[in-house]
């Protein structure tokens, strides 16, 4: 067993030991909203959005992008579990800004091992073989945070499975200050009607 597995299981044992009656929380989120945000380990939605267990749905992926799977989760969140407001939250210093689709594809062509980055950009340091399967994936990279928040809110807003009465808010979380900064254009795009 690895050290990480041991640490996770020890932390879980301590958590379960003080779990109390949280097992009785209902499935629908109590505060009736959902957050789509990035998987970046520096983002703790429970802290920056003041969430307790059972409060809201938090959907995470690389970049907090409105991928098909993220929209699937949001639609389920509304249709079956009653959320009524959605937040799209990207963040400063996002890893998705450090590469393009083409860079990712080239890295995967040469090796499936972890790449490294230096002042000259991303480099493959591991041996091959690689794969061309990455050529068929839209990696949803980011070149401008505000623009990507607007694009994601627009994609969600215009999706045929998303009811018009759901407001969708756009924000950028600042990893240096912990503040949520509204992207007013995105929130305007996501306005309920």
């Amino acid at each position: 067993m690895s050290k990480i597995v041991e640490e996770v299981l020890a932390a879980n044992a301590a958590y379960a030991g003080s779990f109390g009656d949280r097992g009785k929380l209902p499935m629908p989120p109590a505060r009736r909203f959902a957050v789509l945000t990035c998987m970046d380990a520096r983002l703790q939605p429970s802290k920056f959005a003041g969430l307790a267990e059972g409060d809201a749905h938090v959907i995470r992926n690389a970049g907090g992008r409105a991928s098909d799977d993220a929209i699937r989760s949001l639609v389920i969140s509304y249709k079956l579990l009653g959320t009524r407001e959605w937040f799209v939250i990207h963040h400063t210093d996002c890893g998705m800004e450090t590469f393009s689709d083409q860079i990712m594809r080239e890295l995967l062509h040469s090796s499936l091992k972890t790449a490294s980055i230096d002042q000259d950009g991303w480099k493959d340091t591991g041996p091959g073989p690689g794969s061309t399967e990455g050529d068929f994936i839209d990696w949803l990279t980011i070149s401008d945070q505000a623009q990507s928040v607007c694009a994601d809110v627009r994609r969600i807003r215009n999706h045929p499975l998303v009811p018009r009465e759901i407001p969708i808010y756009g924000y950028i979380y600042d990893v240096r200050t912990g503040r949520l900064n509204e992207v007013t254009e995105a929130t305007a795009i996501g306005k309920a009607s």
Side-chain angles (χ1 to χ4, degrees):
M1 185 180 308
S2 77
K3 182 176 188 229
I4 294 296
V5 172
E6 290 174 7
E7 291 170 354
V8 167
L9 294 178
N12 178 254
Y15 175 76
S18 63
F19 196 66
D21 63 355
R22 285 179 273 188
K24 296 177 185 174
L25 288 170
M27 192 182 305
R31 293 177 59 193
R32 298 171 53 131
F33 74 91
V35 174
L36 170 59
T37 196
C38 187
M39 66 186 196
D40 191 298
R42 296 170 293 177
L43 278 64
Q44 291 294 329
S46 60
K47 293 181 180 177
F48 73 64
L51 303 176
E53 287 164 307
D55 275 354
H57 288 150
V58 177
I59 301 152
R60 297 180 78 155
N61 66 33
R65 302 306 309 268
S67 64
D68 288 345
D69 193 59
I71 292 173
R72 176 189 72 92
S73 296
L74 288 167
V75 170
I76 291 168
S77 176
Y78 165 77
K79 182 71 174 175
L80 302 180
L81 297 163
T83 58
R84 297 292 182 255
E85 298 176 75
W86 297 344
F87 290 78
V88 173
I89 303 173
H90 293 193
H91 67 94
T92 60
D93 193 35
C94 184
M96 297 300 286
E97 296 173 290
T98 67
F99 64 97
S100 65
D101 281 14
Q102 189 57 37
I103 289 170
M104 183 61 140
R105 290 173 181 144
E106 289 170 5
L107 289 168
L108 290 168
H109 283 190
S110 63
S111 173
L112 300 181
K113 300 294 183 185
T114 301
S116 63
I117 191 169
D118 62 22
Q119 66 276 4
D120 297 321
W122 286 99
K123 307 273 186 295
D124 255 319
T125 54
S131 173
T132 59
E133 286 299 311
D135 292 354
F136 305 100
I137 295 174
D138 181 353
W139 295 98
L140 300 172
T141 59
I142 296 171
S143 59
D144 179 282
Q145 282 294 337
Q147 189 176 54
S148 70
V149 171
C150 289
D152 285 350
V153 169
R154 183 177 293 107
R155 179 158 196 256
I156 296 166
R157 170 79 300 139
N158 293 331
H159 198 283
L161 298 177
V162 174
R164 301 293 303 168
E165 68 265 13
I166 299 173
I168 307 162
Y169 312 109
Y171 284 84
I172 297 173
Y173 173 81
D174 188 326
V175 297
R176 306 232 183 313
T177 67
R179 294 199 182 277
L180 286 174
N181 297 301
E182 184 178 22
V183 179
T184 55
E185 181 183 351
T187 298
I189 292 166
K191 184 177 179 184
S193 60

